[in-house]
Amino acid sequence: MRATLHPRLLNGRTGDPGVYVEVLHQSGAVLLDCGDLSTLTPRHLLRLEVLAVSHAHMDHWAGFDRLLRLLIGRDKRLTVIGPEGFTQRLFHRLQAYTWNLADRIPADLVFEVTEVTTAGAWPRARLRLHGGFQAEALPALPATRDGTVLRQGPLRLRAAVLDHGTACLGFALEEATHINVWPTRLEERRLTVGPWLAGLKAAVAEGRADDHPVPVYARASEMQSASVLPLGALRDLVSVTPGQRLAYLTDLADLPANRAAAIALARGADILFIEAPFAAADAHLALDRQHLTTRAAGEIAREAGVRRIEPFHFSPRYLGQEARLLMEIAAAAGRDVVSPS
């Protein structure tokens, strides 16, 4: 199966937490946490459509100003997901600047914020450059049992509230289904590869009827004159499998409620990005600072049945001991699922 989600751990295993996710055949990208963004080019940052922030500790949120500086002057709507009170944090961050000349900027920049809380409805708000970034209330989003906070194209973003001495969100980014095209069948049918295949995949994913028309063309310039075939005649060109899934868990105390929520969120993930700041022998330090140990991270991964672990957020106290930490995680997971750096 060709991967659709292409995540990148931004700052290695010891730097600020953050994962940048590109989506195959999609122009937009997703950013999980917003600390040090220096490894991302302006081109990468301008592609962002979703920013999901676990909590507002500096190492997860300090990079926002760099992103803001790039977005000012562009027509852009950015979906922001954060924990309880995050709209006010974003508001105060934006109000640190003077916007008296904002009306001279023709392009509007819009942040649409959803706060994932333990309540039955999740607050939402809009902050617009042309409104001086004042918070405008939007209709609340009814809380969902599985934590689904956003559906965007073929993707679903789920969130869970974890305890880090403050509310901290874990995330799961999932592809609804994975649709592959059989190149050999295209060749047998003498059908050309081209942008029309995205339309075919979309029609299958949306459950369209067999008589749904699908234009077949090699280049976008040929779309108007394309031949049209019914979906039913093209279904054999694709295979449908369960979608790819990745999970992101950071900054949570090793408590029973946190473990249960983390395991539920990460269950069956193809890739689990999980913090492991402390070695197993330093569990007392981890508990005091409300973080996981390597052993806890491996046990959560094992219970969730994930295929691969990407540990991060290693404490600098273990400088030069990365191999040791990885071995402890793998031992607790019960199998060698940790990829090398």
Side-chain angles (χ1 to χ4, degrees), residues 301-331:
R302 184 187 66 218
E303 290 296 316
V306 306
R307 292 180 58 195
R308 178 176 133 209
I309 307 173
E310 286 292 348
F312 66 99
H313 215 353
F314 289 175
S315 169
R317 71 188 295 122
Y318 306 108
L319 191 63
Q321 302 181 57
E322 181 175 304
R324 168 199 170 191
L325 300 181
L326 292 177
M327 287 179 62
E328 291 184 359
I329 294 165

Side-chain angles (χ1 to χ4, degrees), residues 15-308:
D16 284 1
V19 172
Y20 181 86
V21 187
E22 296 179 278
V23 185
L24 189 67
H25 302 311
Q26 301 288 322
S27 58
V30 177
L31 180 61
L32 306 176
D33 271 340
C34 192
D36 181 359
L37 302 183
S38 61
T39 60
L40 292 175
T41 66
R43 179 180 65 84
H44 286 111
L45 290 171
L46 291 173
R47 290 181 57 196
L48 282 182
E49 291 184 352
V50 178
L51 170 60
V53 181
S54 61
H55 63 303
H57 282 166
M58 183 173 285
D59 52 341
H60 299 258
W61 182 224
F64 176 76
D65 285 8
R66 178 168 182 244
L67 175 61
L68 176 65
R69 183 67 184 87
L70 286 168
L71 296 183
I72 292 294
R74 292 176 168 85
D75 273 309
K76 180 80 172 179
R77 183 181 72 87
L78 185 66
T79 298
V80 180
I81 312 296
E84 183 174 2
F86 202 74
T87 297
Q88 278 298 300
R89 294 190 182 279
L90 177 58
F91 168 78
H92 289 297
R93 190 75 173 267
L94 293 167
Q95 294 308 315
Y97 298 98
T98 301
W99 301 108
N100 64 304
L101 302 178
D103 60 337
R104 303 185 185 183
I105 302 173
D108 201 8
L109 171 60
V110 182
F111 298 102
E112 292 191 354
V113 186
T114 301
E115 297 179 7
V116 178
T117 72
T118 56
W122 294 336
R124 298 179 65 241
R126 177 187 295 124
L127 298 89
R128 301 169 52 247
L129 171 65
H130 288 173
F133 289 125
Q134 297 296 315
E136 308 165 18
L138 295 173
L141 180 69
T144 57
R145 178 174 295 182
D146 65 356
T148 297
V149 63
L150 179 69
R151 293 183 185 272
Q152 188 150 315
L155 300 181
R156 174 176 70 156
L157 181 69
R158 295 191 295 127
V161 180
L162 306 170
D163 183 3
H164 179 51
T166 184
C168 181
L169 300 183
F171 298 107
L173 186 64
E174 305 166 345
E175 180 188 22
T177 55
H178 193 92
I179 301 173
N180 286 304
V181 175
W182 294 94
T184 54
R185 295 180 185 177
L186 282 176
E187 187 176 346
E188 289 167 1
R189 300 271 293 277
R190 296 185 178 180
L191 291 170
T192 184
V193 173
W196 72 277
L197 291 172
L200 171 62
K201 290 182 177 182
V204 172
E206 293 164 6
R208 301 289 186 176
D210 280 349
D211 61 356
H212 178 77
V214 178
V216 180
Y217 53 96
R219 291 180 291 274
S221 59
E222 300 173 358
M223 185 174 179
Q224 298 302 319
S225 58
S227 59
V228 177
L229 294 175
L231 177 59
L234 301 169
R235 287 190 187 277
D236 66 308
L237 298 177
V238 301
S239 62
V240 181
T241 56
Q244 189 182 358
R245 177 181 303 174
L246 66 86
Y248 177 85
L249 299 171
T250 188
D251 291 50
L252 61 152
D254 188 12
L255 303 171
N258 272 349
R259 280 211 185 200
I263 290 167
L265 190 66
R267 184 149 336 259
D270 295 286
I271 308 173
L272 169 61
F273 293 90
I274 186 167
E275 73 149 17
F278 292 94
D282 293 326
H284 62 292
L285 292 177
L287 186 60
D288 178 64
R289 298 176 192 182
Q290 305 195 58
H291 280 287
L292 296 180
T293 63
T294 51
R295 179 179 297 149
E299 290 172 350
I300 288 169
R302 184 187 66 218
E303 290 296 316
V306 306
R307 292 180 58 195
R308 178 176 133 209

